[in-house]
Amino acid sequence: MTDILNFIRNMDKVIEEMFGKTMSLSSSKFERFYDCPFSYFVNYGLNIKKIEKAELSAANRGTLLHYVLEKIVPIIDKCDLRTKIDEIIGEYTKTYSLTIREKARYERLASWLYLLLTRLKEDLKKDGYKPVRFELNIDRKSEVEPIILKTEKGTEIFVRGKVDRVDIKNENDTKYLRIIDYKTGGKDFSTFGVYNGINLQMLIYLFAILNNGKGELSNCTPSAVL
């Protein structure tokens, strides 16, 4: 019982030893803490991880989606979309022994990407926005420095991340900024979540660019997060 009481009395010191006086967090870790502090402690304090199978998972498919969009959007007007999609997916999956079921999944993903990129190609012609950055790092010593938060005890928290795409439109002497995050599944957004520290990822990225953007990314007016 005495040991437990001593542990509780020294909790601040224990936490500082585990996480340090300066913390660098991704927006997903930031949300994990506000969603469930205990889950954050188990995952990032104790580093308890679930053992994953060595297989092509939904997460891998999500990574592939980002990769295809990153490669094609900059040249979207200069290539045959379906051919380029098949080429990139084929290159990405050539080291895997795909089952018939997995091959069908990737064929469906290729068809979905073709529809998405066809629509995106038309949208970019109409709305006046120009993609200017892909996979933009928000971190210390990067093009965009992260937002810094300070706790009551003086701990500094750097909220880092990566923006899938940054678009800019120049209109009436104003430079409009929008950022886009690619999602393969559904994503609910609510003001209730924002007020409670959840669903902040896109807003954190937006504020970081507005406050710390340099060169082409400086002096922007926020217009949208998608």
Side-chain angles (χ1 to χ4, degrees), residues 22-24 138-142 144-146 148 158 160:
T22 300
M23 299 175 66
S24 178
I138 296 177
D139 206 344
R140 286 178 288 180
K141 298 182 180 180
S142 293
V144 177
E145 292 280 336
I148 302 175
F158 296 82
R160 56 182 169 76

Side-chain angles (χ1 to χ4, degrees), residues 46-59:
L46 301 179
N47 291 315
I48 296 176
K49 307 293 183 183
K50 179 181 178 182
I51 297 176
E52 301 286 350
K53 293 181 178 179
E55 62 183 5
L56 214 53
S57 63

Side-chain angles (χ1 to χ4, degrees), residues 191-213:
T191 53
F192 175 81
V194 171
Y195 287 130
N196 287 277
I198 303 170
N199 289 332
L200 291 175
Q201 179 185 25
M202 300 298 286
L203 297 177
I204 289 172
Y205 294 164
L206 181 66
F207 294 146
I209 297 173
L210 292 174
N211 291 329
N212 302 324

Side-chain angles (χ1 to χ4, degrees), residues 1-221:
M1 186 65 178
T2 303
D3 290 339
I4 295 175
L5 290 173
N6 287 333
F7 178 81
I8 294 173
R9 292 191 188 101
N10 292 290
M11 183 62 75
D12 287 345
K13 183 178 179 181
V14 172
I15 291 173
E16 185 175 326
E17 288 178 353
M18 291 183 70
F19 297 102
K21 193 68 175 176
T22 300
M23 299 175 66
S24 178
L25 300 182
S26 64
S27 59
S28 59
K29 288 183 180 180
F30 193 77
E31 289 194 11
R32 172 69 70 90
F33 176 80
Y34 276 98
D35 189 39
C36 180
F38 180 72
S39 174
Y40 180 92
F41 174 72
V42 169
N43 281 272
Y44 307 114
L46 301 179
N47 291 315
I48 296 176
K49 307 293 183 183
K50 179 181 178 182
I51 297 176
E52 301 286 350
K53 293 181 178 179
E55 62 183 5
L56 214 53
S57 63
N60 294 109
R61 287 189 289 274
T63 301
L64 174 58
L65 168 69
H66 284 72
Y67 184 72
V68 171
L69 291 171
E70 180 187 357
K71 292 292 183 182
I72 292 183
V73 173
I75 58 170
I76 199 167
D77 290 321
K78 303 175 184 177
C79 68
D80 180 84
L81 291 178
R82 187 59 203 238
T83 300
K84 195 65 177 177
I85 291 167
D86 290 340
E87 175 187 319
I88 293 172
I89 290 179
E91 181 70 21
Y92 187 87
T93 60
K94 68 180 182 180
T95 58
Y96 295 98
S97 297
L98 299 179
T99 64
I100 294 176
R101 184 178 180 182
E102 284 288 347
K103 287 181 181 178
R105 286 179 178 173
Y106 278 98
E107 288 173 2
R108 287 196 297 271
L109 178 61
S111 297
W112 181 82
L113 277 165
Y114 176 72
L115 293 174
L116 171 66
L117 284 162
T118 301
R119 176 64 180 271
L120 177 59
K121 184 176 181 179
E122 294 301 314
D123 286 344
L124 288 173
K125 289 180 181 178
K126 295 175 183 176
D127 63 17
Y129 281 93
K130 176 185 176 183
V132 296
R133 295 292 187 280
F134 299 90
E135 301 294 314
L136 173 69
N137 278 317
I138 296 177
D139 206 344
R140 286 178 288 180
K141 298 182 180 180
S142 293
E143 183 176 6
V144 177
E145 292 280 336
I147 291 175
I148 302 175
L149 305 176
K150 287 189 177 181
T151 68
E152 294 178 355
K153 297 185 182 297
T155 299
E156 288 189 338
I157 301 174
F158 296 82
V159 186
R160 56 182 169 76
K162 183 176 287 187
V163 185
D164 291 336
R165 199 176 99 211
V166 179
D167 294 352
I168 284 178
K169 176 171 70 171
N170 291 290
E171 186 174 88
N172 299 325
D173 297 321
T174 302
K175 185 162 52 176
Y176 293 100
L177 172 75
R178 76 177 179 189
I179 60 174
I180 294 176
D181 188 49
Y182 300 129
K183 296 292 184 186
T184 53
K187 178 69 174 177
D188 294 327
F189 181 87
S190 70
T191 53
F192 175 81
V194 171
Y195 287 130
N196 287 277
I198 303 170
N199 289 332
L200 291 175
Q201 179 185 25
M202 300 298 286
L203 297 177
I204 289 172
Y205 294 164
L206 181 66
F207 294 146
I209 297 173
L210 292 174
N211 291 329
N212 302 324
K214 301 174 184 176
E216 189 177 19
L217 300 179
S218 64
N219 302 315
C220 292
T221 297

